[in-house]
């Protein structure tokens, strides 16, 4: 091999060996500053999008079927109905949701549980509730049932819709389903108490001796809710959490007091003088229990499905719904002590 042969020429390993990396060269090792490309920023055609422009709302530009089939259709539709809801345009929000549900039902007919489908139904139902449109609410409820599910969120939302539709017995079933999955929820026990009182005020119980039994059951549910709030150590110490707890406690106390006054009208004078909060809850605790004869009269007056819910509630009371609360509280305290 000739002495003049360069190893770079033979093997090509260092084919850039003679290229300088100084800033004065234009090679691949030149600095970023010397390699930059200059252009006029005024040539960029960009218009920022803001919510108030309604850029996402294409309902006027194309039909729902075409919109639903665009690449970002479901995201734009969902964002549009959300914005309409929060702007208070409940009627238009419900209308668009109804159209969208019909369009996407064809697309997702084999899997109606997709999150985007459920979200549209929920927004539509909430819009219909705010707009007091029972026909549309029935429509969304039917679709929501077809989505199916076994989770606390599904049960809670079903109960909210069914309560508005006046199907109180079915709403009660869904709240019980919720508690079987997540028992220590004070707000759900409060909702159960309100439902029990409302059932007692409806036909055929209003004005009968059985009505008082419904009110007493309501007192029991309110008392369980109060006890969960009082015993639970899960409340956060932030100002917002403390305020929320105070509002929830005050609302629950009013519900319990109003129901107590209906069961015991003679307490009105004491209540007007400002009865001690503890005494009101003591009265609830001592008066919600039903004797055996009252239980039987109540169960005999109920349809089978409602009777099943009543038995579940009575069993919860007799088993001591607060035992699990106390156990969890003790467990949290032991962990904290460690």
């Amino acid at each position: 091999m000739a002495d003049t042969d360069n190893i770079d020429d033979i093997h090509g390993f260092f084919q850039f060996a003679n290229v300088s990396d100084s800033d004065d060269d234009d090679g691949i090792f030149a600095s970023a500053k010397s390699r930059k490309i200059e252009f006029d920023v005024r040539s960029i055609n960009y218009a920022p999008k803001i919510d108030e422009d309604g850029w996402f709302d294409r309902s006027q530009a194309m039909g729902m079927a075409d919109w639903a089939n665009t690449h970002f259709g479901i995201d734009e539709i969902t964002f549009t109905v959300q914005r309409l809801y929060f702007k208070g345009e409940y009627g238009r929000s419900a209308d668009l949701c109804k159209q969208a549900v019909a369009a996407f039902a064809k697309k997702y007919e084999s899997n109606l549980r997709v999150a985007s489908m459920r979200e549209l139904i929920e927004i539509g139902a909430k819009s219909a509730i705010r707009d007091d449109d029972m026909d549309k609410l029935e429509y969304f409820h039917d679709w929501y049932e077809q989505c199916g599910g076994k989770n606390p969120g599904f049960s809670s939302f079903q109960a909210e819709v069914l309560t508005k539709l006046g199907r109180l017995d079915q709403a009660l079933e869904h709240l019980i389903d919720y508690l079987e999955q997540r028992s220590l929820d004070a707000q759900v026990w409060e909702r159960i108490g309100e439902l029990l009182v409302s059932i007692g005020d409806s036909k055929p119980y209003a004005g009968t001796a059985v009505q008082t039994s419904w009110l007493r059951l309501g007192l029991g549910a309110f008392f369980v809710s109060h006890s969960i709030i009082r015993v639970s150590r899960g409340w956060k110490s932030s100002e917002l959490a403390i305020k929320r707890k105070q509002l929830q406690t005050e609302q629950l106390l009013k519900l319990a007091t109003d129901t107590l006054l209906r069961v015991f009208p003679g307490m009105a004078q004491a209540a007007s003088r400002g009865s001690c909060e503890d005494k009101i809850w003591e009265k609830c605790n001592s008066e919600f229990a039903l004797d055996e004869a009252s239980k039987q009269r109540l169960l005999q007056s109920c349809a089978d499905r409602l009777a099943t819910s009543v038995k579940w509630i009575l069993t919860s009371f007799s088993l001591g719904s607060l035992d699990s609360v106390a156990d969890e509280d003790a467990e949290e305290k032991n962990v904290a002590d460690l």
Side-chain angles (χ1 to χ4, degrees):
M1 182 180 296
D3 294 339
T4 58
D5 288 341
N6 188 298
I7 191 66
D8 303 333
D9 298 329
I10 298 173
H11 298 284
F13 291 159
F14 306 103
Q15 57 186 330
F16 302 118
N18 295 322
V19 178
S20 171
D21 61 354
S22 67
D23 289 348
D24 296 331
D25 294 329
D26 294 327
I28 63 169
F29 296 110
S31 68
K33 181 177 180 181
S34 64
R35 295 198 308 268
K36 70 179 180 179
I37 301 174
E38 295 185 357
F39 59 90
D40 188 353
V41 295
R42 291 173 296 181
S43 64
I44 301 176
N45 183 21
Y46 172 72
K49 297 178 179 179
I50 59 174
D51 293 354
E52 296 305 320
D53 290 342
W55 59 269
F56 44 83
D57 185 356
R58 295 205 262 175
S59 59
Q60 306 299 323
M62 62 177 66
M64 180 57 71
D66 293 332
W67 191 10
N69 285 322
T70 60
H71 184 68
F72 295 108
I74 195 162
D75 296 320
E76 292 174 350
I77 293 168
T78 302
F79 195 62
T80 298
V81 295
Q82 286 176 339
R83 288 287 300 173
L84 290 171
Y85 178 85
F86 287 115
K87 288 171 65 177
E89 297 182 36
Y90 305 120
R92 185 156 176 251
S93 175
D95 286 337
L96 282 181
C97 283
K98 185 176 179 179
Q99 296 172 34
V101 168
F104 286 114
K106 297 178 181 178
K107 185 175 182 179
Y108 298 123
E109 59 183 345
S110 61
N111 184 20
L112 292 177
R113 293 190 185 187
V114 294
S116 49
M117 182 75 171
R118 295 173 70 103
E119 187 175 8
L120 282 171
I121 296 172
E122 290 175 358
I123 297 170
K126 286 184 174 294
S127 298
I129 289 174
R130 291 297 189 100
D131 204 37
D132 206 28
D133 190 328
M134 296 302 101
D135 290 336
K136 286 193 179 72
L137 187 58
E138 285 276 10
Y139 175 87
F140 292 120
H141 173 258
D142 290 344
W143 274 110
Y144 202 69
E145 279 203 321
Q146 292 183 56
C147 289
K150 181 68 175 178
N151 57 75
F154 177 82
S155 299
S156 178
F157 189 74
Q158 281 280 61
E160 179 184 355
V161 171
L162 289 164
T163 299
K164 184 65 176 180
L165 290 173
R167 304 181 197 174
L168 305 184
D169 54 341
Q170 296 177 43
L172 186 60
E173 289 177 358
H174 280 286
L175 289 182
I176 289 173
D177 284 343
Y178 180 102
L179 289 176
E180 287 179 339
Q181 301 168 74
R182 188 179 294 170
S183 60
L184 305 180
D185 193 314
Q187 286 187 313
V188 171
W189 272 108
E190 179 183 326
R191 289 169 66 184
I192 284 181
E194 291 182 281
L195 273 178
L196 293 169
V197 172
S198 296
I199 291 172
D201 290 339
S202 63
K203 294 179 180 180
Y205 311 109
T208 68
V210 177
Q211 182 178 16
T212 301
S213 296
W214 286 109
L215 297 180
R216 286 178 181 270
L217 285 181
L219 287 175
F222 293 146
F223 181 74
V224 173
S225 178
H226 160 73
S227 300
I228 292 173
I229 294 174
R230 177 178 55 83
V231 175
S232 176
R233 298 166 59 91
W235 289 96
K236 297 185 182 296
S237 58
S238 67
E239 182 179 350
L240 181 62
I242 293 172
K243 185 176 181 180
R244 178 184 172 188
K245 180 180 180 180
Q246 181 180 356
L247 290 173
Q248 189 174 338
T249 302
E250 290 173 354
Q251 176 179 306
L252 186 61
L253 179 63
K254 185 179 186 309
L255 288 169
T257 303
D258 291 345
T259 307
L260 266 177
L261 292 178
R262 294 181 62 187
V263 178
F264 302 101
M267 288 184 59
Q269 186 175 1
S272 65
R273 293 198 300 266
S275 297
C276 175
E277 180 180 338
D278 290 340
K279 289 184 178 179
I280 290 175
W281 289 119
E282 286 174 9
K283 188 69 173 176
C284 287
N285 187 28
S286 63
E287 297 297 341
F288 74 80
L290 301 179
D291 56 45
E292 196 58 36
S294 297
K295 289 180 184 178
Q296 292 306 315
R297 283 196 299 271
L298 178 60
L299 291 171
Q300 290 171 5
S301 69
C302 298
D304 291 342
R305 290 179 64 175
L306 185 55
T308 300
S309 296
V310 171
K311 288 177 183 177
W312 187 93
I313 292 170
L314 289 171
T315 301
S316 296
F317 290 165
S318 63
L319 291 178
S321 299
L322 300 178
D323 290 346
S324 55
V325 182
D327 292 342
E328 183 178 278
D329 182 57
E331 183 178 348
E332 288 184 0
K333 187 176 187 300
N334 290 335
V335 171
D337 290 342
L338 292 176

